[in-house]
Amino acid sequence: MTEPSALVAELASGEKVWAGTPLTRRRKLLDQMRALVADQAESWVEQAALIKQLPAGSPLLGEEWTSGPWAVAGYLRALAETLTALEAGRDPLADVKLGHAPGGRVTLDVLPADVFDQLLLSGFSAQVWTRPGVTPDEVRRGAGLAQRTPERTDGVALVLGAGNITSIAPLDVLYQLYAHNRVVVLKLNPVTDPLLDVFSAVFAPFVELGVVRIVTGGAEVGAALAHDERVGAVHMTGSEATHDAVVWGVGAAAEANKAAGTPLLAKPITSELGGVGPVIVVPGRWSAADIRYQARHVATQRLHNDGHNCIAAQVVVVAADWPQKREFLAALRTALREAPARAAWYPGTTNRVAAARTTYGDSADAVGGTPERTLLHGLDPADATEDAFHTEYFAPVLGVTELPGNAPEFLTAAVELANERLHGTLGANIIVDPRTARALGARLDEAVTALRYGTIGVNAWTGVGYLTPRASWGAYPGHPLDDVCSGRGVVHNALLLDQVERTVVRGPFRPAPRTLLSGGRSLMPKPPWFVDNRTAATTGRRLTAFAARPSWRALPGIFASALRG
């Protein structure tokens, strides 16, 4: 394999090629890559299954389809549409509805984007919100970012790839290429090294052009690349501790560097670093079916990918006075226990679970699985030192805390808890039934506005925001480098919007057909990303094929599989 330093030299030459690559060619590269994703999808999922020790035929393979090639194929299509508008001299936002949110924010409706979204993700919607004070004219003028001046490139970027979700690294590379106009060296996380051949194949058009290089190796390779003077910017996905080790060093030296304001890595660095994600369960009158469904929804938010998600829910906030609290928590315990078993595949999982169980002792209940899925109860909402409030477990460990009050009082207190007690600003979830939402009225909108998180889901897991290609993905803005929390900057954002603050995703409280019977408009059955969806693998495979090559003829097969799930 070529030495990493030599790859950087090759990219320095490749930058000149990228500067001379017109928009039409750049868009065709995306189309070529989308076709290659389709060709490699089966191998992609097979390698991911080996990494995660998933047996052939497991419904959990659906996770690998949807959070792997499906996510990338959909993003490539959306980004290509933005390039198509720019190359034609059209406004990329011509077909996007703009609105307003409190605080002088502009909103952009990014889901559904077309009739296919309306059918395949029926009942789900997403808005991107800009930062306060940005005008609609500024939003339109900024859309397209660096692709408005493609000849003005910005050097070589290093992407330190994630080890958990297989679409993260490819999506991060594409964002550096198109949003920032940088050529890219991708350093794979060692966990995902078995995907080297797949990623090399899908990025082949960019590799042949000389604007992408992919390298494997340990932490020392990543550190050497990060500090190479020819690398002008770094993007990473991982933990806050890993980020600080790269930027500031370790131990006493790191603290001294922070105090002096002298980072070891003095170049632009963006990051997505996870955190402690809340699920705020607003009290209402729910049917027994509602309780079972939402318990499985919350279990999915923790157990998807066995809890190895930066966006995984970690703290469930319930109302102490809710008459159905005990019933819901019992259903949640059942959902955690009955979710499909899987191996502890991610490095350190068993140790992290054991540490949480040791910390909480009798307040930590084993609810099944290997390693033991763990439910922490009795978390004190007034205690900022609660370990579950500031330690991202990155494992199948879920905590529960309670707050007093009726729905409006509870919601206000829960938002304050999420903002002030929990460490992290990547994603927050709210679950609220339609009747209670109507009764809350503007108070629900105020709660969404008040939450300081990069993605907020209302009756939809924030992971849907990750999968929405035109949505932004990243921490709430404003974290300084020496207290980086959930990271800095955004990715995905296929409309290439400037000055983004957050994404707000909304979904149906009930699946079809129950949502139709209660007056809702969603045709979505149990979503394919639910951990107990029995046909998730088949649905995910068909969704991936559709994203790569959309066809009306493919829809009946997708719907049939989804309904069986």
Side-chain angles (χ1 to χ4, degrees):
M1 179 178 291
T2 306
E3 286 295 319
S5 59
L7 296 182
V8 177
E10 293 173 6
L11 286 170
S13 299
E15 184 184 2
K16 298 176 184 178
V17 176
W18 191 234
T21 304
L23 288 175
T24 300
R25 176 72 177 121
R26 293 182 181 211
R27 189 255 306 158
K28 289 180 179 178
L29 288 167
L30 296 172
D31 293 338
Q32 290 173 333
M33 183 173 173
R34 181 154 54 102
L36 290 168
V37 168
D39 294 343
Q40 292 291 321
E42 198 77 42
S43 296
W44 186 328
V45 173
E46 286 176 0
Q47 290 301 319
L50 290 173
I51 293 169
K52 301 182 182 184
Q53 302 173 43
L54 294 173
S58 170
L60 291 172
L61 290 172
E63 295 182 357
E64 302 314 313
W65 283 102
T66 55
S67 66
W70 181 46
V72 174
Y75 182 75
L76 288 163
R77 178 169 168 250
L79 187 56
E81 290 176 358
T82 297
L83 270 287
T84 297
L86 290 170
E87 68 181 289
R90 293 188 285 106
D91 178 5
L93 307 182
D95 298 324
V96 178
K97 180 182 177 182
L98 272 62
H100 297 278
R105 297 169 170 92
V106 177
T107 64
L108 299 95
D109 292 357
V110 296
L111 181 72
D114 55 26
V115 66
F116 291 137
D117 282 348
Q118 292 173 355
L119 293 170
L120 294 173
L121 293 169
S122 176
F124 286 84
S125 65
Q127 287 185 329
V128 173
W129 293 17
T130 66
R131 300 189 187 194
V134 178
T135 68
D137 284 345
E138 289 173 325
V139 172
R140 292 190 183 279
R141 287 198 301 269
L145 292 176
Q147 295 311 296
R148 287 189 170 274
T149 54
E151 71 283 356
R152 294 170 55 186
T153 54
D154 194 25
V156 179
L158 166 66
V159 169
L160 297 173
N164 57 335
I165 297 294
T166 62
S167 61
I168 293 177
L171 292 174
D172 290 350
V173 169
L174 290 166
Y175 200 69
Q176 290 295 320
L177 280 166
Y178 285 87
H180 297 293
N181 227 10
R182 296 167 179 150
V183 294
V184 186
V185 56
L186 167 62
K187 158 64 175 65
L188 293 180
N189 186 298
V191 174
T192 61
D193 280 355
L195 282 162
L196 174 62
D197 289 346
V198 170
F199 288 165
S200 297
V202 299
F203 273 110
F206 294 95
V207 172
E208 291 166 6
L209 191 63
V211 299
V212 170
R213 292 291 183 264
I214 306 174
V215 64
T216 59
E220 71 285 353
V221 174
L225 287 167
H227 292 280
D228 190 310
E229 63 182 12
R230 295 165 298 178
V231 171
V234 176
H235 177 81
M236 67 169 294
T237 302
S239 69
E240 186 176 358
T242 300
H243 170 277
D244 282 358
V246 171
V247 174
W248 300 100
V250 296
E255 294 303 316
N257 288 333
K258 281 189 178 184
T262 54
L264 298 178
L265 190 68
K267 60 184 68 174
I269 177 167
T270 53
S271 52
E272 191 263 85
L273 306 175
V276 175
V279 184
I280 298 170
V281 182
V282 182
R285 287 197 304 167
W286 297 7
S287 69
D290 292 338
I291 288 173
R292 288 193 299 272
Y293 177 78
Q294 291 300 343
R296 291 167 181 167
H297 191 188
V298 174
T300 290
Q301 294 177 35
R302 177 71 269 183
L303 296 182
H304 184 280
N305 204 35
D306 205 29
H308 307 311
N309 282 338
C310 293
I311 197 58
Q314 183 163 303
V315 175
V316 182
V317 189
V318 297
D321 306 320
W322 183 26
Q324 295 178 297
K325 176 189 68 177
R326 292 183 183 276
E327 188 178 353
F328 172 75
L329 293 178
L332 176 58
R333 187 181 297 266
T334 298
L336 293 169
R337 183 179 66 250
E338 294 182 350
R342 58 186 306 162
W345 63 273
Y346 200 84
T349 300
T350 302
N351 291 338
R352 289 191 296 276
V353 172
R357 292 177 60 80
T358 297
T359 297
Y360 282 96
D362 293 340
S363 295
D365 294 342
V367 291
T370 303
E372 289 284 8
R373 296 167 187 163
T374 300
L375 189 64
L376 309 176
H377 54 84
L379 303 182
D380 183 355
D383 185 358
T385 67
E386 280 281 11
D387 191 67
F389 290 174
H390 62 80
T391 299
E392 182 187 10
Y393 291 130
F394 212 68
V397 178
L398 184 65
V400 176
T401 190
E402 301 182 15
L403 291 168
N406 57 24
E409 297 165 345
F410 165 82
L411 184 56
T412 299
V415 168
E416 182 180 2
L417 171 73
N419 284 341
E420 305 299 335
R421 293 280 188 268
L422 305 188
H423 187 76
T425 65
L426 188 60
N429 307 273
I430 299 174
I431 295 175
V432 57
D433 67 90
R435 183 188 294 111
T436 302
R438 288 192 295 270
L440 285 167
R443 291 198 180 193
L444 181 57
D445 296 331
E446 291 167 0
V448 172
T449 303
L451 281 165
R452 297 193 295 269
Y453 286 80
T455 299
I456 298 164
V458 181
N459 293 333
W461 179 32
T462 43
V464 179
Y466 175 92
L467 294 172
T468 301
R470 293 171 181 83
S472 61
W473 184 253
Y476 193 79
H479 297 302
L481 193 64
D482 60 354
D483 187 15
V484 72
C485 196
S486 291
R488 291 153 58 96
V490 300
V491 290
H492 304 183
N493 184 28
L495 292 171
L496 301 178
L497 302 170
D498 196 12
Q499 301 189 69
V500 167
E501 181 186 69
R502 72 179 80 186
T503 289
V504 178
V505 184
R506 298 177 187 271
F509 178 74
R510 302 179 178 96
R514 287 196 303 111
T515 189
L516 297 172
L517 298 175
S518 60
R521 298 181 180 180
S522 172
L523 299 175
M524 171 70 83
K526 181 189 294 183
W529 52 84
F530 269 43
V531 291
D532 63 339
N533 188 304
R534 295 171 295 178
T535 60
T538 301
T539 304
R541 179 184 288 107
R542 293 176 180 178
L543 284 170
T544 300
F546 178 87
R549 302 183 179 97
S551 166
W552 286 98
R553 290 177 296 177
L555 294 179
I558 296 173
F559 293 150
S561 179
L563 288 170
R564 289 195 302 271

